[in-house]
Amino acid sequence: MSDANEPTGAVGPTDGVTGGAEAGATGAGSTGNPAGSAPGRRVRVVLVDDHRMFRTGVQAEIGQTERTGVEVVGEAADVDQAVTVITATRPEVVLLDVHLPGGGGVEVLRRCSPLMADPEQPVRFLALSVSDAAEDVIGVIRGGARGYVTKTITGTDLVDSVFRVQDGDAVFSPRLAGFVLDAFASTDAPPVDEDLDRLTQREREVLRLIARGYAYKEIAKQLFISVKTVESHVSAVLRKLQLSNRHELTRWATARRLV
């Protein structure tokens, strides 16, 4: 359920983001104590996720500024909203979902690259996603994100990760760090999946949604495009990947952990 048209604003309480038994995120410069517990520390954060209820949970879990030091200064549900809100608020850290209407987290990173490169007031990005696919992790890190944690992270560890990213550290959920090390340390491995690289960013979005079982009308609504355009993208994907139907496409995407 996507909320791409909703305005940003205040949110109410919910159950938060805790739930998985994930060990603490790993990265350079960890002190072992939640950075947000340091008296007087503050970090301004924007939440980017296309599920309003999840944003509400994160806000309730980490956005109690007097306790955590985290001030949520904006929210966004799609790429265009994200770029607008991030540009207007200039937060220290953006919590960024990977799969977003309008081009995904990679597109947000591309359009915000001047803000990341600002030497005086850099905006840093921490991916926060349900996906633990190597392709997603490597994609956003190549795009400039400082880290990647999954949504099973606890509220305490998320606060710690936000402050460490503000300090310039790289932060990853333990299992995901290996993807990045393998991708950047190996000199003989191809940087991207050659088959997947044939697809445009929009075609990849349509591919994932088709593989997740979405109907054409649902995809059109989520991506703000017409059903006819969805059909055109699906045809292009099938042609480029030399597949015959959406069932083969689903198997192809599942085998590459793109779903």
Side-chain angles (χ1 to χ4, degrees):
M1 54 177 69
S2 177
D3 307 289
N5 287 322
E6 69 178 27
T8 60
V11 293
T14 187
D15 293 334
V17 297
T18 57
E22 173 169 321
T26 62
S30 175
T31 62
N33 297 315
S37 64
R41 285 209 66 181
R42 291 289 185 269
V43 58
R44 299 169 68 254
V45 171
V46 165
L47 306 178
V48 180
D49 193 287
D50 64 340
H51 290 88
R52 181 181 59 81
M53 290 183 66
F54 181 76
R55 296 198 310 273
T56 301
V58 174
Q59 167 83 342
E61 188 74 24
I62 73 171
Q64 301 174 37
T65 307
E66 293 305 314
R67 178 177 63 86
T68 65
V70 175
E71 179 187 3
V72 177
V73 297
E75 299 181 18
D78 61 32
V79 169
D80 287 341
Q81 280 187 11
V83 174
T84 299
V85 172
I86 293 166
T87 302
T89 59
R90 298 295 294 265
E92 282 89 25
V93 177
V94 177
L95 289 176
L96 179 69
D97 194 13
V98 174
H99 300 142
L100 294 168
V106 172
E107 179 65 11
V108 176
L109 290 164
R110 185 187 70 79
R111 291 168 60 179
C112 290
S113 57
L115 300 180
M116 288 189 281
D118 185 340
E120 300 297 327
Q121 189 182 350
V123 176
R124 296 188 169 102
F125 287 79
L126 174 63
L128 174 62
S129 177
V130 69
S131 171
D132 62 358
E135 186 238 356
D136 288 334
V137 177
I138 295 167
V140 296
I141 298 305
R142 289 188 188 279
R146 296 292 305 174
Y148 193 117
V149 294
T150 60
K151 290 181 177 179
T152 55
I153 193 169
T154 66
T156 299
D157 284 340
L158 183 57
V159 169
D160 178 65
S161 297
V162 166
F163 275 95
R164 284 160 53 195
V165 167
Q166 181 194 26
D167 289 338
D169 292 343
V171 181
F172 298 92
S173 295
R175 194 175 79 84
L176 307 185
F179 295 155
V180 179
L181 291 173
D182 291 343
F184 289 92
S186 176
T187 57
D188 55 357
V192 292
D193 185 308
E194 291 184 3
D195 290 331
L196 192 63
D197 198 39
R198 296 191 184 103
L199 307 182
T200 66
Q201 183 63 38
R202 178 65 87 190
E203 288 168 352
R204 294 186 194 193
E205 290 181 330
V206 172
L207 163 67
R208 286 192 179 95
L209 293 173
I210 285 288
R212 291 172 185 167
Y214 283 72
Y216 285 5
K217 287 184 179 179
E218 294 172 321
I219 296 172
K221 182 178 180 180
Q222 181 154 339
L223 299 182
F224 306 104
I225 57 179
S226 69
V227 173
K228 187 175 292 291
T229 301
V230 174
E231 293 173 350
S232 297
H233 285 314
V234 172
S235 296
V237 170
L238 293 174
R239 182 181 70 256
K240 291 179 179 181
L241 300 180
Q242 299 182 359
L243 302 174
S244 300
N245 53 55
R246 66 182 296 162
H247 300 294
E248 290 184 2
L249 187 152
T250 299
R251 288 196 296 270
W252 187 92
T254 301
R256 285 162 173 79
R257 302 184 66 188
L258 302 178
V259 181

